[in-house]
Amino acid sequence: MEKVVAVIMVGGPTKGTRFRPLSFNTPKPLFPLAGQPMIQHPISACKRIPNLAQIFLIGFYEEREFALYVSSISNELKVPVRYLKEDKQHGSAGGLYYFRDMIMEENPSHIILLNCDVCCSFPLPDLLEAHKRYGGMGTMLVIKVSAESAHQFGELIADPNTKELLHYTEKPETFVSDLINCGVYVFTPDIFTAIQGVLTHREDRANIRQVSSFEAFQSATRTLPVDFVRLDQDILSPLAGKKQLYTYETMDFWEQIKTPGMSLKCSSLYLALFKITSPQLLASGNGITSATIAGDVYIHPSAKVHPTAKIGPNVSISANVRVGAGVRLISCIVLDDVEIKENAVVLNSIIGWKSSLGRWARVQGNGDYNAKLGITILGEAVTVEDEVVVINSIVLPNKVLNVSVQEEIIL
Amino acid sequence: MKALILVGGFGTRLRPLTLSVPKPLVDFANKPMILHQIEALKAVGVTEVVLAINYQPEVMLNFLKEFEKKLEIKITCSQETEPLGTAGPLALARDKLIDDSGEPFFVLNSDVISEYPLKQMIEFHRGHGGEASIMVTKVDEPSKYGVVVMEETMGKVEKFVEKPKNFVGNKINAGIYLLNPSVLDRIELKPTSIEKEVFPEIAVENKLFAMVLPGFWMDIGQPKDYITGLRLYLDFLQKNSSSKLATGSNIIGNVLVHESAKIGDGCLIGPDVAIGPGCVIEPGVRLSRCTVMRGVRIKKHACISSSIIGWHSTIGRWARVENMTILGEDVHVADEVYSNGAVVLPHKEIKSSIVNPEIVM
């Protein structure tokens, strides 16, 4: 029986300053989108692959930060999920190589590789089928984006008939293509041979350089440690056009979750996806015995929402939240243990764990997910007093706001 | 004798420094803030200090073990589970503060830096025979604070006026008290304000007396006042133990340099600078009115003024950092960059100039 193993790269704390202030409490991969931890979306997608044997999470966070989660999700989905901590930076492909013995433990025929901060529909069974048809070493998920935004990603050229990857450039300065790398791959175990090749080549060059110090000044890779291998620059680019790598295009949504603002957008995308794949997860309400619900809304079973409140669209409410009478919530994420008092309004914002919004308080962002202050973010345990207005601002944990603020970062 | 230090909460005004350590452990003049107070208390014979905290007890407790040994003084924590205001913590720590001796105990506010004339305060307290003594300090703008209205000769306190609109006096509560154990009978274990509820009650009974604090006083709970406070403190050191200050042809005014710090040639340091343990100041650097915390490296030809550089940060060559730039822990400013009032959270790199005050998350 052919087994498949999945590897999800989760990153680590010091690299994650872009997710502040939400990352002060919780590792980014565990931040909830549409009511589920960010990493649960790719994990659930992996579960749809037949013969999935194991899921590995690889990152730099301390093991204890993931211990509870991996144990509970393993139980829930009935598939072993393990967190592996990298001891140092090996690069996006180096990390995979470093744990190759564990990944190959059950002799899988295919390895799915995913990045945790990618938001998409993860069409993994289709990707795997396509890969088997192409018969190469690896197949990557690709998507067309606008020409102006393409430069932020890995741009690629694919053969329109064979779908082979012909050319790949990471974050080019000039336009190459509007087809970009989604950060979702399937590989055969030959990937390890390819990475090994890069490592050996690096070592050989390092040895040669010891002989010629002049060459040492010339080498562009001199600053990289010998065992640091990047998937994009060291594997994908060199192997493009050699009939080893193929592409599979998705027509669904795709985003990268780099900032808190983007997490709100991605939460909405997943809520819309649930509407199609798991409508039983979304809330419904008639405004009489339960709150009025508009559009896609997730409400945790332990949350208490007053029947006169109106919730949605695009709202996600976590555990133990209390929403008072007459509250209006639009396009927001409300995290655990928040209390929202009567008649408050929240729009385009993220309300941090244990925060409290007073009566007639108004917390609002302008909705520009990419702007620094486009989505209002309240960190953990922030108190917004009665009638106070907070617009386009970021508030760090444990602050009490008793006067209105606009366009500010509050430490 | 015993003492209670009100450490309180999250120290949000001293962020980004307090994102790395709790406020009492932020270094001031090369020593954790709270150590200045504990040392002053030990010097007048206090044998046990209770810290009233409500945040990060584990970090505090580790620090305390180290200093308990070094100073030979007992240090314990009293942890609030809910905010108890400025008087409630005293009730919470009651059992630790009262013993059979019946001696009065000190209460200090942890944000305050001063000369701590505690011996004079003990004598003052014995002299008037009242129930409570408080230190007051003269300020230029009393309306920003709570003013203590007192009678001049004995210092008997008549009343407290919070942020008065008209001038009623220029002495404010300096946050240093010496209280008889009977004061604890007046405080219930609930959120209580010592200024608004407890002291006015004692004043009405003519048992509250105020002593004007000789010397400097500063609430260093926010960066601007921290920098001013350093100037006042170094000035005090210069008058009383000038041997602690640095000397040399490259030193101007009052400068404190830790013995393990290294300063290169052609530097000009001062006035009002504190350089912490393990710092490396490379040649050609100009520092004025700034604090450089443990483990910082300032590269050649850089110029820093009126700023605080957090632990283990680096400042690049020819960088210019000024106007209340506050760098958190592990912040790296690239070569040739200019920072005008940037407030930078920990673990960041600043690769391009920041010409207007800005918070970098």
Side-chain angles (χ1 to χ4, degrees), chain A residues 12-33:
Chain A
T14 50
K15 301 196 87 183
T17 69
R18 286 171 72 181
F19 211 65
R20 289 171 168 171
L22 300 175
S23 56
F24 285 139
N25 290 66
T26 295
K28 189 171 100 172
L30 297 181
F31 183 80
L33 303 177

Side-chain angles (χ1 to χ4, degrees), chain A residues 179-229:
Chain A
L179 203 55
I180 60 124
N181 177 5
C182 292
V184 177
Y185 316 86
V186 59
F187 291 112
T188 62
D190 294 327
I191 181 65
F192 294 119
T193 318
I195 301 174
Q196 169 85 69
V198 173
L199 289 168
T200 317
H201 183 65
R202 280 259 177 79
E203 251 183 67
D204 290 345
R205 289 199 68 184
N207 289 334
I208 292 170
R209 279 200 297 284
Q210 277 163 17
V211 173
S212 161
S213 61
F214 173 72
E215 248 198 346
F217 287 117
Q218 303 300 306
S219 170
T221 53
R222 186 176 82 97
T223 48
L224 285 177
V226 165
D227 58 355
F228 190 91
V229 184

Side-chain angles (χ1 to χ4, degrees), chain A residues 14 17-18 20-21 24 372 394 396-399 409-411, chain B residues 10 12-13 15-16 19 55 343 345-348 358-359 361:
Chain A
T14 50
T17 69
R18 286 171 72 181
R20 289 171 168 171
F24 285 139
K372 186 159 118 165
I394 298 178
L396 258 63
N398 307 112
K399 296 299 291 189
I409 299 178
I410 301 189
L411 288 191
Chain B
F10 304 100
T12 65
R13 289 179 307 157
R15 284 172 171 164
L19 291 175
Y55 181 59
V343 176
L345 265 63
H347 312 297
K348 296 292 295 183
E358 176 185 318
I359 296 176
M361 287 226 296

